[in-house]
Amino acid sequence: MCGRYSLTASLDELARRFDFDSNRDDFEPRYNIAPTQQVLAVVGGDARRAGFIRWGLIPQWSKSDSAGPPIINARAETVAEKPTFRDSLRRRRCLILADGFYEWQKAGDAKRPMRVALRSGEPFAFAGLWSMSSDPEGNRISTCAIITTAANDLLRPIHHRMPVILSEEVEDLWLDNALDDSQTLTQLLEPYPDDALEAYEVSALVNSASNDRPEVATPL
């Protein structure tokens, strides 16, 4: 699964890399992003647009946002089949921006928090799905989930799953609103090349979502 990640690049850098308007005043670096929080995502259309979406997908047909735990991940292998995700896969896809993510590696009875990032240090995009629904008061809310796949060789000793990181070459295709062929879309949901990633142990500070500062992402 993917349950924590970071986004510490500047807004200008993200706007250049992902081709959206950087005229925002509500962005700040995040070192320990957790479920149910607002996350920066990019959607397609006539032009790319960036905005904040709550992490924890609520299906459009759901009548409540409190029917169970937040749905933070969708499995690539079943995303085209499950009613919770299949409509979003065809019609509501997004890039969820990040520059690292965290997994916990078993070490005896303990778990070691590990951070995974591109060797280049550059930001990247998770394959995301979003949905629009209503809360009990009738307010419209946008929510999202990160798609996961089988771990690559680097991640397998740490965790058996990893988030889908889209290569820059397929981001436009993922955001193409005219594309609704599930088979074509699911073919994009592959493990990222392990030689392009690095993993290192970080402080147990990451265990608490209230710790959101640079020390969380610093290698031990």
Side-chain angles (χ1 to χ4, degrees):
M1 65 178 295
C2 177
R4 297 285 180 82
Y5 70 94
S6 62
L7 181 59
T8 64
S10 71
L11 186 62
D12 285 342
E13 180 183 359
L14 295 171
R16 288 192 299 271
R17 166 63 179 80
F18 296 102
D19 191 24
F20 63 84
D21 186 350
S22 63
N23 186 24
R24 307 187 64 94
D25 58 7
D26 54 356
F27 176 82
E28 59 184 27
R30 297 291 312 280
Y31 299 89
N32 194 6
I33 299 170
T36 74
Q37 295 178 353
Q38 297 291 315
V39 302
L40 187 63
V42 173
V43 297
D46 294 335
R48 289 189 179 189
R49 294 173 289 116
F52 287 95
I53 304 177
R54 193 174 78 180
W55 186 13
L57 188 137
I58 302 170
Q60 192 169 20
W61 41 260
S62 177
K63 293 182 171 30
S64 171
D65 66 349
S66 58
I71 303 172
I72 63 172
N73 293 156
R75 292 176 65 92
E77 297 87 343
T78 57
V79 68
E81 305 163 8
K82 290 200 169 183
T84 300
F85 306 120
R86 64 190 179 197
D87 190 56
S88 288
L89 177 67
R90 293 183 60 199
R91 297 180 175 87
R92 292 181 292 278
R93 301 180 298 275
C94 62
L95 307 177
I96 299 177
L97 307 190
D99 58 15
F101 64 93
Y102 303 98
E103 288 294 356
W104 282 257
Q105 183 178 31
K106 288 185 178 180
D109 293 333
K111 289 186 176 181
R112 302 164 57 217
M114 307 288 291
R115 184 171 187 263
V116 183
L118 296 187
R119 290 187 179 276
S120 66
E122 297 174 342
F124 54 83
F126 296 131
L129 305 174
W130 67 277
S131 181
M132 182 73 77
S133 57
S134 300
D135 65 15
E137 288 73 42
N139 301 310
R140 301 292 282 170
I141 52 175
S142 298
T143 58
C144 65
I146 294 170
I147 301 178
T148 67
T149 188
N152 62 19
D153 290 342
L154 176 70
L155 268 292
R156 198 170 297 115
I158 301 172
H159 197 277
H160 67 286
R161 304 288 295 176
M162 67 179 293
V164 173
I165 299 173
L166 295 171
S167 67
E168 187 171 356
E169 292 74 22
V170 303
E171 289 170 0
D172 280 336
L173 187 61
W174 184 252
L175 292 181
D176 184 355
N177 291 332
L179 175 62
D180 65 357
D181 179 66
S182 298
Q183 183 175 359
T184 300
L185 291 164
T186 54
Q187 288 174 350
L188 305 178
L189 306 177
E190 297 292 331
Y192 204 71
D194 54 277
D195 58 358
L197 299 172
E198 62 178 357
Y200 53 83
E201 187 174 1
V202 294
S203 167
L205 287 169
V206 72
N207 294 343
S208 173
S210 63
N211 295 323
D212 191 7
R213 54 185 191 270
E215 294 84 356
V216 171
T218 302
L220 288 184

